Structures are given as structure tokens and as C-alpha cells.
Amino acid sequence: MLLSFSNPRDRDQAWYERPWHVQGDLFAIEPWRPHFDPFLETIKWVDVWIRIPRFPLELNSSEPIRRLLRLNNIGELVRLDPNSVERFRVKFARAVITVDVTRPFIRLMTAPRGNGLADHYLVWFEDFPKGCGCCGSDDHMTA
């Protein structure tokens, strides 16, 4: 599908407010590029919402999350949920990231603490759920 915007503000909003869903399905968007042929292209990158349950408040900002996503080869940070930034949700961090859908999703993130110690955090992909969105566990989930 090709979308054209006559108003640059509308175009920018469509881009910066991603990801979008159409009839419940994730809608992958890319900026226009010359010679684009939708029948020959393969979708490799999509933007998805993630949650990181029990993520510490002191790390819940753009740079620490960006660094940990790169360190763990999970994806690239697009933006944090404003509620995460304002610390309204203290149970989890929430962010939009760009992921490579041709590779398996990494659902565990390691955060080095120094002295050879590390903390581990579950990464929950909202569009590809597995487990509870608050704690990551599937022990109390029903089929």
C-alpha cells in the first residue's frame, strides 16, 4: 500500500507515532525510496512495542535502554512510552523498537552490573506475545 500525504505534519505524525495496526495486524511502514517495488520487497524490519517487566526505575530512560537493546542485539530504540518516561508505570518499561523479523526474537536481556555480576530482564513483545505482559511469566496465563 502506498500512502501519500499532502501535509508534512500528517506524514511526520504517521511516521513518529508508529507502529500502526490495520484490522489487528501489524502494519510495516518505510520511508519512500526510488525504484521501490512492493512485489519484490521482503519485509525485514518492523516496529513493535515491547515491555520489560520489573525494570529498575534508575535505568528507565532512553540511553540505558538503547544501550541494553544494542548490547543484547534485540533491536533499535525508536521511543519510550511517555508513561514510562514520566514513571507512571513502575511495573515495567515500555518502548517501541525496530526489530529484524527474519531472526528469532531475543526475549531475555542481560544488564552487566560490574564485578562479573549481571541482572536479567524478560523482554515481552506485545505484537508477538508469550507470557504475561506485566511479569513475563506464563505460569498464570490461561489458554
Side-chain angles (χ1 to χ4, degrees):
M1 174 185 306
L2 176 64
L3 301 175
S4 178
F5 297 91
S6 58
N7 182 335
R9 285 180 34 199
D10 291 343
R11 179 201 60 218
D12 292 346
Q13 182 179 2
W15 180 252
Y16 292 113
E17 293 297 319
R18 67 191 195 273
W20 294 97
H21 294 82
V22 176
Q23 294 182 350
D25 292 327
L26 187 61
F27 190 64
I29 63 171
E30 294 183 19
W32 175 256
R33 62 181 190 275
H35 310 292
F36 174 78
D37 185 341
F39 298 103
L40 299 177
E41 297 291 326
T42 301
I43 295 174
K44 183 174 180 177
W45 302 97
V46 297
D47 298 319
V48 297
W49 281 103
I50 62 165
R51 292 183 189 185
I52 307 168
R54 295 187 286 225
F55 198 66
L57 287 174
E58 63 271 14
L59 297 178
N60 195 3
S61 62
S62 293
E63 281 315 305
I65 291 176
R66 183 183 319 278
R67 188 172 58 251
L68 289 171
L69 290 169
R70 284 182 181 162
L71 177 71
N72 289 275
N73 203 24
I74 294 173
E76 286 294 319
L77 179 67
V78 174
R79 73 176 185 284
L80 291 179
D81 179 346
N83 290 318
S84 288
V85 173
E86 297 297 323
R87 311 239 193 298
F88 290 133
R89 292 185 180 151
V90 294
K91 292 184 179 182
F92 54 85
R94 187 170 185 252
V96 175
I97 66 170
T98 302
V99 293
D100 180 347
V101 292
T102 64
R103 297 182 351 194
F105 291 163
I106 298 171
R107 296 181 185 268
L108 185 67
M109 183 166 59
T110 302
R113 280 198 289 162
N115 299 331
L117 300 174
D119 293 319
H120 303 283
Y121 302 101
L122 294 171
V123 178
W124 192 77
F125 293 81
E126 291 184 10
D127 290 300
F128 307 96
K130 181 180 181 182
C132 172
C134 287
C135 71
S137 172
D138 59 3
D139 292 343
H140 57 276
M141 300 297 291
T142 57

